[in-house]
Amino acid sequence: MINNTKTLYNQKVKSLSEKYESQGFRVLTEPKTDELPFDLGNYQPDMIAIKDGSGLVIEIKTSLSRVSVDRLQALAEEVSKHPGWRFLLITLEDIKAQSLPGTPEQLPSWQELTDRFLQAHKLIENDEIEPAFLFMWSIFEGALRKRAIDVSIPIERFPAIGLLRHLYSLGELSISQFDLAQACFEVWNRLTHGYIENLNLPVVHNFDNLVRELLAKWTLELAISQLSSEDIAAFRAWFGEFDAASLDKQQELMTDLNNKKSLLFALELNGYLRNEKLKKELNVNDEQVINVESAVSLLSPEDLAAFRTWFAEFDAAAWDKQIEKDVAQGRLDGLAQKALKHLREGRCTDL
């Protein structure tokens, strides 16, 4: 059994190596420490593939049961800090895909997933329950795979049930969301294998609500994570005001946002969107921030509470990263020297 597993592993390594090389990659299998593009501590990947200044750090497993995703997530995050590099986890149980792992995947964008969700929702409204359910599942599974990529959980090629279980175990899905998704997976599995399934309408509606909720949440979180530090500061100030405001004041802030969005649309329609001076004068200088603020302003009280918790954690982590960056670039050296001088001169007191 051990020899058979080793044979399957070697065949996978050989096959992947040949495929990457055929796509113009330079491939190193079991690379030595001095052959790695950057320090990965004691970790030795099974393979690295390099092309045009970017590359892939690849771990190959024969079975999903041998995967410690939480450990590999930390590794994936470390690799992603290096521009153009990505960590890949590949197993013999991965779904079949036409594209080579790590090359541009044929997953829909978040906007395309949202557009497809609206189409599936219309099918439900028209009582076309079975096609709506099957369509909704494909949207849900695409969202799970994209979320895994966005948060550096290297499981985007896992079979659906493995994908679900790992995202749940890593906190991306609540227990109620996981239970509903697992029940829907069982229904989907029977339908796609030709069995008759009497779909429960409340379950379909609950699944529709789950997909809507996750699409909105994950799209919003991704948009915020892509903001610059200056834009995050602007959003932080707006959110602090909005979150503490009375209902009347919140409505006033929402009206202001709608006016800005209308103005941006008019500028774009008339070809003035590239006029940075005009946008600054009109206080609509950043479309991304306005869109994020608008999305947050439309959250239900329950979703707003969940977002408040998430943003507090995200913002704290963003502060930590900014401080680490400032330290690395020497921006805090002057303050440190000043503090040491005050200490030597006896101008400091114990807290």
Side-chain angles (χ1 to χ4, degrees), residues 57-77:
V57 176
I58 302 172
E59 171 99 357
I60 302 170
K61 296 289 188 184
T62 54
S63 172
L64 294 179
S65 62
R66 300 180 59 192
V67 173
S68 174
V69 172
D70 52 351
R71 178 182 70 85
L72 295 178
Q73 182 183 15
L75 185 60
E77 290 174 347

Side-chain angles (χ1 to χ4, degrees), residues 74-90:
L75 185 60
E77 290 174 347
E78 181 61 34
V79 172
S80 68
K81 293 178 182 177
H82 301 272
W85 282 84
R86 184 179 166 200
F87 177 81
L88 284 182
L89 172 62
I90 297 173

Side-chain angles (χ1 to χ4, degrees), residues 183-195:
C184 289
F185 170 77
E186 293 170 1
V187 173
W188 169 84
N189 196 39
R190 289 192 292 271
L191 281 172
T192 55
H193 285 86
Y195 292 95

Side-chain angles (χ1 to χ4, degrees), residues 93-106:
E93 300 173 50
D94 286 358
I95 59 167
K96 300 297 181 183
Q98 291 184 341
S99 56
L100 196 58
T103 57
E105 301 287 351
Q106 298 304 309

Side-chain angles (χ1 to χ4, degrees), residues 143-156 163 167:
L144 294 179
R145 298 190 189 284
K146 285 191 69 64
R147 178 62 174 179
I149 293 172
D150 288 348
V151 294
S152 298
I153 303 175
I155 58 173
E156 69 270 15
L163 186 68
L167 287 176

Side-chain angles (χ1 to χ4, degrees), residues 282-327:
L282 295 172
N283 194 29
V284 289
N285 199 46
D286 201 313
E287 186 176 6
Q288 285 180 300
V289 177
I290 292 172
N291 287 336
V292 166
E293 291 172 352
S294 181
V296 170
S297 73
L298 296 174
L299 293 176
S300 67
E302 295 78 11
D303 290 341
L304 185 63
F307 173 80
R308 185 186 301 115
T309 301
W310 174 85
F311 183 68
E313 295 174 354
F314 170 85
D315 202 26
W319 272 109
D320 290 342
K321 288 180 181 178
Q322 186 61 48
I323 290 173
E324 289 176 4
K325 184 178 179 181
D326 289 343
V327 169

Side-chain angles (χ1 to χ4, degrees), residues 2 16 18 34 45 60 69 82 86 179 208 240 277 315 318 323:
I2 294 176
L16 281 173
E18 291 174 349
D34 59 359
I60 302 170
V69 172
H82 301 272
R86 184 179 166 200
D179 287 344
D208 175 72
K277 183 179 179 181
D315 202 26
I323 290 173

